[in-house]
Amino acid sequence: MTNTAAPLDDRPPAACIGVFDSGVGGLSVLRALHRHLPHSQLLYVADSGFAPYGERDEGYVIERSRVLTAHLLREGAQLIVVACNTATAAAVRALREEHADVQFVGVEPGIKPAIALSRSGRIGVMATRGTLASDKFRRLVSSHAQGAQLHLQACAGLAHAIEAGDANSAEVLALVDRYTAPLRKADVDTVVLGCTHYPFVAQHIQRALGAGVQLVDTADAVARRVQQLIVGLRSAHAHAAARLWTTGDLATLTLVAGRWLDFEVETRQLPAA
């Protein structure tokens, strides 16, 4: 009798992947992970009770990142995605040193792909103040931005406004208009979305900048990197609903997840600690 079962290595990757962000913005990364790895168990923590990270000092962000990492590891995460540009810049090095047996994947503004896409070399970067001020961001620019004209736009309050769950609110639209105005004036042809919250208002940013400006979001690149790293990992919870926690308002997370995600999720309260 011929054995027609697929070899073990040919089965779809099905790891248990933990993801955290300062709030709901990292759901843009969770969405990309589900597209690329539909058989994996996804865990997510929105640290909305302690947001926004982009306006906090580095020590604060590192400590919160430690707390969220510990929770995800207790829940069975085999790999952790730091789905926050500010937390990646501030904390990912410390997390890797403290958990040498765990793979961490961070997110960072897509400077390199933006330069490859840009026709004029004039590139806008929309991000939080914390991301733009970080050593990690400066190193990223130093490594990849030679010859490009970068126009850095700190977007104070935009992530917080998106966090409220209404991407079409008057506050969101006003902030998008305010922060895209200098980029329009600089005549950029490519804009990096340097915060995981921003893809959820990409349609407003695109409208404000004009159809000729290209937007760069790195969520799919992060998902592809995770896909490479989880080869050989297997979770006992494959196909289970994604589990989402928040340290903020549970009703808001449930509402936002229902609006922004197209797969089954369970939302839970994580006591602030």
Side-chain angles (χ1 to χ4, degrees):
M1 180 182 293
T2 302
N3 185 354
T4 58
L8 179 64
D9 289 344
D10 286 347
R11 291 187 300 169
C16 184
I17 301 166
V19 183
F20 75 82
D21 180 34
S22 62
V24 298
L27 294 176
S28 63
V29 176
L30 195 76
R31 186 171 60 181
L33 286 166
H34 186 266
R35 282 199 304 268
H36 287 264
L37 296 161
H39 299 281
S40 286
Q41 170 71 65
L42 299 177
L43 313 175
Y44 182 87
V45 182
D47 202 19
S48 301
F50 295 85
Y53 284 4
E55 298 167 24
R56 304 286 192 175
D57 63 52
E58 186 174 281
Y60 182 98
V61 176
I62 291 172
E63 183 54 34
R64 291 308 306 162
S65 297
R66 285 173 171 149
V67 170
L68 304 184
T69 294
H71 172 76
L72 290 168
L73 292 176
R74 285 195 300 270
E75 293 294 329
Q78 298 164 293
L79 176 148
I80 293 178
V81 178
V82 184
C84 172
N85 287 269
T86 301
T88 296
V92 76
R93 178 181 294 183
L95 295 176
R96 285 170 174 155
E97 290 173 352
E98 294 165 11
H99 302 277
D101 57 337
V102 179
Q103 292 274 15
F104 287 87
V105 176
V107 298
E108 59 186 19
I111 302 296
K112 186 176 180 180
I115 290 172
L117 285 171
S118 176
R119 302 175 301 278
S120 67
R122 294 187 297 275
I123 297 164
V125 182
M126 298 177 68
T128 66
R129 178 185 57 80
T131 293
L132 297 179
S134 69
D135 289 338
K136 188 174 180 65
F137 181 75
R138 284 193 285 268
R139 289 194 298 270
L140 182 67
V141 170
S142 177
S143 297
H144 299 299
Q146 294 87 346
Q149 299 176 43
L150 293 187
H151 300 271
L152 307 183
Q153 181 59 56
C155 301
L158 181 54
H160 185 68
I162 297 167
E163 188 75 19
D166 184 359
N168 302 311
S169 70
E171 181 183 8
V172 167
L173 296 177
L175 289 170
V176 166
D177 187 61
R178 179 193 305 174
Y179 296 134
T180 54
L183 302 180
R184 292 194 301 271
K185 186 175 181 180
D187 197 26
V188 300
D189 69 1
T190 306
V191 169
V192 176
L193 303 181
C195 172
T196 52
H197 284 73
Y198 301 168
F200 290 117
V201 295
Q203 72 276 23
H204 301 315
I205 294 172
Q206 187 74 73
R207 188 178 302 114
L209 291 169
V213 176
Q214 302 179 88
L215 303 185
V216 176
D217 167 24
T218 58
D220 281 316
V222 169
R224 287 192 294 270
R225 179 58 178 156
V226 171
Q227 197 169 26
Q228 294 169 352
L229 292 174
I230 67 169
V231 173
L233 296 180
R234 295 290 157 189
S235 168
H237 304 288
H239 300 287
R243 286 184 282 154
L244 282 55
W245 291 264
T246 181
T247 57
D249 180 58
L250 180 60
T252 298
L253 176 64
T254 303
L255 175 68
V256 169
R259 284 177 175 172
W260 294 353
L261 302 178
D262 61 356
F263 50 91
E264 184 182 0
V265 302
E266 299 173 357
T267 57
R268 306 177 182 187
Q269 189 71 52
L270 182 64

